[in-house]
Amino acid sequence: NIFLYFIILYINCQFLFIDINSIKYISDNLYMFKVDIILKGRVQGVGFRYYAKQVADEMKIGGKVWNNYDGSVEVIGYLQTKNDIDEFVEKIKIGPQMSSVKEVTVTVTPSDPLVDEVFEIAN
């Protein structure tokens, strides 16, 4: 039985898990999850988008990253397993050397299959 959950993570290690019962299955029981990560702190002007692309390319993850107007950085990745989701989130939270991540929000939702594994830097 596979469960999907929203995770809201803060640097002070508070967790909130909400189970979702509807999982979208694709042929041969393959499935895809959209992982939306919003990072706040000193995350713009420090190479965070390039760092996120490097992590995604190393893990062969499709998606995109961009700067938000409120000073945060948002990362979208498409993954298939909980282990991959956990690894991606942990690596993204580290950030580049000059960054200082103060708050991280992660939302995981079912997604249609990804056509390719391209990861883009937007704006």
Side-chain angles (χ1 to χ4, degrees):
N1 199 355
I2 299 171
F3 291 48
L4 178 64
Y5 50 86
F6 288 106
I7 308 173
I8 299 174
L9 301 169
Y10 295 98
I11 295 304
N12 64 3
C13 297
Q14 295 176 355
F15 295 94
L16 172 64
F17 295 92
I18 305 171
D19 288 333
I20 298 177
N21 295 323
S22 61
I23 301 289
K24 186 179 288 185
Y25 286 93
I26 302 163
S27 63
D28 299 325
N29 290 328
L30 295 177
Y31 50 88
M32 184 68 65
F33 300 108
K34 175 184 172 188
V35 180
D36 188 349
I37 308 168
I38 300 174
L39 304 113
K40 295 182 179 179
R42 189 173 61 220
V43 293
Q44 290 191 11
V46 294
F48 213 106
R49 292 178 297 160
Y50 300 97
Y51 171 83
K53 178 165 176 42
Q54 179 181 355
V55 169
D57 288 348
E58 287 171 3
M59 293 182 66
K60 296 180 174 52
I61 295 171
K64 63 183 174 178
V65 60
W66 66 91
N67 288 334
N68 287 326
Y69 291 112
D70 65 359
S72 65
V73 169
E74 191 159 353
V75 182
I76 301 276
Y78 295 91
L79 301 106
Q80 289 187 322
T81 69
K82 183 182 182 317
N83 288 342
D84 288 345
I85 293 169
D86 291 343
E87 180 181 354
F88 184 58
V89 170
E90 288 304 313
K91 286 182 176 182
I92 292 296
K93 282 174 28 179
I94 294 169
Q97 186 174 8
M98 296 301 292
S99 69
S100 176
V101 177
K102 300 293 184 195
E103 184 179 318
V104 179
T105 305
V106 178
T107 307
V108 179
T109 54
S111 174
D112 288 328
L114 190 63
V115 174
D116 56 32
E117 296 176 345
V118 174
F119 193 89
E120 302 177 328
I121 296 176
N123 74 0

